[in-house]
Amino acid sequence: MSNVKAMQQTFKQEAAKLCADLRGLADEIRLKGHLASADARDAWAKVEPQLQQFERRVEHATESAIGELRQASKELKANLEHIREDQHRD
């Protein structure tokens, strides 16, 4: 039984880190948003709901879903980093 609790704790820690990393990128983009081009603002408008959906999914996830969350996190992170890179070019 303690093995299950340890797995749950590890999952919760990893999920919290994924959310914190994504939220950090999103916060950086949002802060720079007022300086961004119209294309960057449009890209943000498309990605922001994905971030909110991801955070909701993490709240309801089980251990079996961690692989799916990792993949979704990678895709979302790539989108957020792309927007951030575009902001740096403007």
Side-chain angles (χ1 to χ4, degrees):
M1 188 67 170
S2 64
N3 193 23
V4 172
K5 289 187 183 222
M7 288 173 50
Q8 288 173 335
Q9 185 62 28
T10 300
F11 170 74
K12 287 179 184 179
Q13 290 171 343
E14 185 169 348
K17 179 164 179 4
L18 291 173
C19 284
D21 289 348
L22 294 172
R23 181 52 60 193
L25 279 170
D27 289 345
E28 178 183 342
I29 291 166
R30 189 178 299 115
L31 286 173
K32 294 178 181 178
H34 69 284
L35 303 174
S37 67
D39 289 340
R41 286 191 302 269
D42 290 345
W44 171 250
K46 291 177 184 175
V47 171
E48 186 176 28
Q50 290 177 328
L51 176 61
Q52 293 167 347
Q53 180 185 26
F54 180 81
E55 289 173 330
R56 284 191 301 273
R57 288 171 65 190
V58 167
E59 289 176 18
H60 300 291
T62 64
E63 291 81 6
S64 64
I66 191 66
E68 181 184 333
L69 289 173
R70 284 184 184 130
Q71 183 59 36
S73 171
K74 287 177 188 177
E75 292 170 8
L76 183 54
K77 184 175 183 177
N79 288 337
L80 290 168
E81 288 176 340
H82 181 73
I83 293 170
R84 181 175 63 183
E85 289 170 10
D86 287 347
Q87 285 181 336
H88 287 255
R89 284 185 237 157
D90 290 340

